[in-house]
């Protein structure tokens, strides 16, 4: 579950809306509006250059945002830093510099990524924050998923 930054005095209301949504199938977007969830604008650019502008709640990873918005970003390890299939490219270095430095585990996985660039990150590690409002993320032309691509580890 993602921690989402909610406006003051909204946690109790959010719990009620979550219960109501479970019972009444209220959409996630209606829950966000009800609780004044802070959202940022993110543009995903696919391998063909097509753009999709989405609203992402502060605190949500770009991997989760992509999945919620039917954007083809794999995330084979479900955000556990065990693959590079959620590799994204931050198109503007100014936004890239606003991100926290990647941990060693992320850098290890990025070393396996297809089409690595100076502004590459794993989507599971890029977390929406107000200063990232307007960020553009390009999806590489391919990914490397060793479990699917026929990789077999060699014994030592």
């Amino acid at each position: 579950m993602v921690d989402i930054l909610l406006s003051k005095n909204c946690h109790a209301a959010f719990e009620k809306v979550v219960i109501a949504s479970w019972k009444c199938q209220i959409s996630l977007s209606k829950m966000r509006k009800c609780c004044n969830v802070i959202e940022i604008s993110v543009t995903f650019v696919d391998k063909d250059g097509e753009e999709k502008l989405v609203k992402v709640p502060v605190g949500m990873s770009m991997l989760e945002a992509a999945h919620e918005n039917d954007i083809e970003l794999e995330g084979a390890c479900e955000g556990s830093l065990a693959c590079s299939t959620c590799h994204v490219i931050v198109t503007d270095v100014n936004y890239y510099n606003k991100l926290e430095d990647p941990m060693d585990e992320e850098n290890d996985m990025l070393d396996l990524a297809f089409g690595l660039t100076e502004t590459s990150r794993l989507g599971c590690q890029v977390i929406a924050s107000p200063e990232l409002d307007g960020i553009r993320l390009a999806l590489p032309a391919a990914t490397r998923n060793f479990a699917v691509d026929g990789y077999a580890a060699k014994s030592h």
Side-chain angles (χ1 to χ4, degrees):
M1 192 78 179
V2 175
D3 290 330
I4 299 175
L5 182 63
L6 302 175
S7 64
K8 194 188 259 187
N9 300 322
C10 192
H11 287 284
F14 188 72
E15 287 177 19
K16 290 178 185 175
V17 172
V18 169
I19 292 168
S21 72
W22 178 72
K23 291 180 179 175
C24 303
Q25 302 300 314
I26 294 173
S27 73
L28 188 56
S29 62
K30 287 182 183 176
M31 284 192 286
R32 288 179 184 152
K33 285 180 185 174
C34 169
C35 292
N36 298 319
V37 173
I38 299 168
E39 295 180 313
I40 65 169
S41 295
V42 176
T43 302
F44 287 91
V45 183
D46 72 16
K47 63 184 177 186
D48 298 320
E50 292 193 33
E51 299 182 4
K52 185 169 186 179
L53 177 65
V54 299
K55 292 291 190 180
V56 179
V58 168
M60 179 179 277
S61 77
M62 295 302 116
L63 174 62
E64 292 169 304
H67 288 177
E68 270 196 15
N69 290 282
D70 298 320
I71 294 167
E72 292 187 30
L73 188 60
E74 186 175 349
C77 74
E78 299 178 353
S80 66
L81 282 172
C83 75
S84 63
T85 60
C86 67
H87 170 217
V88 296
I89 300 164
V90 181
T91 62
D92 183 335
V93 72
N94 293 318
Y95 281 104
Y96 180 84
N97 291 334
K98 293 177 183 182
L99 298 171
E100 299 220 3
D101 290 336
M103 297 183 305
D104 289 341
E105 295 85 356
E106 181 179 359
N107 281 327
D108 290 344
M109 291 298 105
L110 282 169
D111 287 342
L112 305 173
F114 179 86
L116 189 65
T117 72
E118 291 291 321
T119 59
S120 288
R121 292 298 298 266
L122 296 181
C124 64
Q125 299 302 300
V126 178
I127 307 301
S129 62
E131 55 273 2
L132 295 181
D133 188 35
I135 194 170
R136 294 171 53 86
L137 302 172
L139 307 182
T143 63
R144 289 191 178 121
N145 184 344
F146 294 125
V148 173
D149 295 339
Y151 173 77
K154 295 179 181 177
S155 59
H156 295 280

